[in-house]
């Protein structure tokens, strides 16, 4: 994927930031009952979010453990882990940087679609 620069941000980075905003809004809008509803392959939307948090940590945070905080913190945890992964990608050589950002974006899109 060819990178296009807008100031200091690539299109891949801009796409990730867009997904971060979409996920934040989507997760914040979920009620407790909606979080309890099934979201295959997870048992619930809440479980899908927690599984995604683990995946985001594996991709961009050296698989650090993700604390199980309350529902009110799920959106913040998603944002923090995705933004951290994006920042950590900036320290990598170009091909690895692009791969990490693309992988994070794909994982974010998967989660958003699971929560739909």
């Amino acid at each position: 994927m060819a990178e296009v620069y807008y100031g200091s941000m690539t299109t891949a980075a801009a796409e990730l930031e867009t997904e971060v905003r979409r996920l934040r809004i989507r997760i914040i809008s979920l009620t407790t009952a909606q979080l309890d509803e099934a979201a295959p392959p997870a048992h619930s939307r809440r479980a899908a979010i927690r599984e995604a948090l683990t995946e985001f940590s594996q991709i961009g945070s050296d698989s650090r453990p993700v604390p199980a905080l309350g529902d009110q913190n799920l959106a913040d945890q998603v944002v923090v882990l995705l933004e951290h992964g994006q920042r950590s990608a900036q320290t990598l050589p170009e091909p690895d940087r692009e791969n990490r950002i693309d992988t994070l974006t794909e994982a974010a899109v998967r989660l958003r679609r699971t929560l739909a």
Side-chain angles (χ1 to χ4, degrees):
M1 174 180 185
E3 295 298 315
V4 177
Y5 286 89
Y6 297 102
S8 63
M9 187 180 300
T10 65
T11 55
E15 288 173 17
L16 180 56
E17 287 195 5
T18 297
E19 285 305 319
V20 169
R21 284 191 302 277
R22 287 176 177 165
L23 273 171
R24 184 177 180 282
I25 291 166
R26 179 66 182 132
I27 294 168
I28 286 173
S29 71
L30 294 171
T31 64
T32 300
Q34 289 170 321
L35 284 168
D36 291 336
E37 289 174 0
H43 299 291
S44 68
R45 285 187 175 100
R46 181 181 299 103
I49 295 167
R50 291 208 170 118
E51 288 169 12
L53 290 171
T54 299
E55 181 180 9
F56 299 155
S57 178
Q58 289 169 347
I59 297 166
S61 298
D62 299 321
S63 296
R64 289 188 192 127
V66 179
L69 303 176
D71 291 349
Q72 70 278 8
N73 295 308
L74 291 172
D76 291 335
Q77 287 182 290
V78 165
V79 170
V80 167
L81 282 169
L82 288 172
E83 288 180 347
H84 180 268
Q86 185 172 7
R87 278 192 309 274
S88 70
Q90 300 310 313
T91 64
L92 300 173
E94 180 54 40
D96 296 331
R97 178 180 321 139
E98 181 180 334
N99 287 337
R100 178 169 293 176
I101 290 172
D102 287 346
T103 302
L104 283 168
T105 302
E106 291 166 7
V109 168
R110 251 191 329 276
L111 175 59
R112 183 173 48 83
R113 289 180 179 159
T114 297
L115 298 177

